[in-house]
Amino acid sequence: MSHLLTGDPLTELGDDVTPHEVAFQASDVSAVDDFVVTGFAPDGTERTVSIGVRRDPSFVPSDTASVELIGSYLRVLRDQAPRVASGRWQLGLTVAGSNAQVKEIADLATIARDVADERAFRSAVAFPGRTNQANRRRLEYLDEVVAAAAHHVGIDTASADGTELTWRLLSALTVRELRMEGVDQSDRTHAVARLRHVTSAGTAEAADAHRRFRSTTGARGKRLRPPPRTAAHPCLRRRPRLPTRWTTAPNRSGPSWSGPSWSGPNRSPGRSATPTSRPRP
């Protein structure tokens, strides 16, 4: 949320992308629906990431929750195939704290992004010194989970078998270990530091109060408040560059955080997106 308030880039979207909108539980937009974040690249190209949030996923075939989660990712791969292939739609997984299984998935995803196809991916994983036994064993488990998930969601593996789907999934996936609780709460501290620069008081206390306000609002489920600098929460000293207001996005059941209105032609890929109005400083 702090990235949206400040306009800072989000790793899952890319360092050159300005976050523009976030939708919560947007199942009509994405099968992975905990968060669906959209932003714009400098050339006006829209990029989206579907983020699943889990506390402690195991990614073994006997775990029904893992199979269902991977099934939702596979549905996004199917439903948004052209945009995933072009890099305009990504997948994200956010987990609470450190998790050995998730770390192994992240290692495999890094390799998958660096190669051109599934065969090169398998060769890289098997290359001596590139991975360890735990990584290779995790890939075997993940292949089984993907196969079970594909069957669960009705994806035909005749044209793309389970091992191909595993590579497609990993090559589009960004994994984030969120440090918000326990001994290491550094991500929460970073969020407060970002918000401090847009609060009227400019203090850590005001920034943390706003962080807790937004967290509580989100926890109540889609009960979002008016823009900054209103009576709902006057501590922000200025409207952020992007986004600027809470709205309900067209054709979406869930609320979203939306930036300035954009003219139609400038939304097309390859052209500079120019806002029709700018937020006041």
Side-chain angles (χ1 to χ4, degrees):
M1 188 70 67
S2 62
H3 291 270
L4 294 167
L5 290 169
T6 61
D8 291 338
L10 189 69
T11 300
E12 290 83 350
L13 284 176
D15 292 343
D16 62 338
V17 177
T18 300
H20 171 72
E21 177 183 285
V22 59
F24 304 89
Q25 300 177 347
S27 58
D28 58 328
V29 176
S30 170
V32 181
D33 65 352
D34 291 320
F35 296 97
V36 180
V37 186
T38 302
F40 291 101
D43 63 357
T45 303
E46 184 179 80
R47 296 186 195 170
T48 302
V49 58
S50 299
I51 302 175
V53 181
R54 297 295 185 274
R55 175 167 292 276
D56 190 28
S58 61
F59 295 111
V60 293
S62 59
D63 181 36
T64 302
S66 292
V67 172
E68 292 178 351
L69 175 62
I70 294 299
S72 65
Y73 284 116
L74 296 182
R75 288 173 57 194
V76 175
L77 293 179
R78 178 192 62 194
D79 298 342
Q80 303 293 338
R83 297 184 66 183
V84 172
S86 66
R88 291 182 293 123
W89 198 300
Q90 296 290 314
L91 303 173
L93 172 65
T94 297
V95 299
S98 181
N99 179 310
Q101 295 94 325
V102 173
K103 177 63 168 61
E104 292 158 5
I105 295 291
D107 291 341
L108 294 171
T110 300
I111 297 173
R113 285 178 176 269
D114 289 342
V115 299
D117 55 34
E118 188 267 342
R119 178 176 295 183
F121 169 65
R122 300 284 166 174
S123 297
V125 171
F127 191 81
R130 184 70 187 271
T131 60
N132 55 34
Q133 184 176 359
N135 294 134
R136 293 188 289 272
R137 184 57 178 163
R138 180 58 50 196
L139 180 56
E140 294 176 4
Y141 283 139
L142 186 59
D143 282 334
E144 296 179 29
V145 173
V146 168
H151 176 75
H152 177 71
V153 299
I155 293 179
D156 184 10
T157 57
S159 57
D161 61 23
T163 58
E164 172 76 14
L165 288 175
T166 300
W167 171 72
R168 292 184 186 179
L169 167 64
L170 290 170
S171 63
L173 184 66
T174 299
V175 178
R176 180 190 292 261
E177 293 182 344
L178 201 59
R179 298 161 297 180
M180 297 286 288
E181 56 190 18
V183 175
D184 186 358
Q185 301 181 8
S186 51
D187 282 325
R188 189 167 73 179
T189 303
H190 294 328
V192 171
R194 283 190 295 270
L195 290 172
R196 185 176 64 83
H197 300 290
V198 296
T199 60
S200 57
T203 64
E205 180 182 9
D208 188 52
H210 191 72
R211 179 197 63 80
R212 287 185 281 106
F213 170 79
R214 288 301 178 190
S215 299
T216 304
T217 301
R220 287 197 290 267
K222 303 183 180 180
R223 292 185 59 185
L224 307 178
R225 292 296 181 261
R229 297 180 62 187
T230 69
H233 206 279
C235 75
L236 293 189
R237 66 184 174 203
R238 59 180 172 83
R239 293 176 185 263
R241 297 183 300 277
L242 283 174
T244 59
R245 62 182 182 276
W246 286 108
T247 66
T248 299
N251 300 322
R252 291 188 180 180
S253 59
S256 60
W257 179 277
S258 177
S261 57
W262 297 76
S263 56
N266 290 328
R267 287 287 300 277
S268 59
R271 301 184 62 176
S272 298
T274 304
T276 58
S277 62
R278 294 183 178 180
R280 295 180 180 178

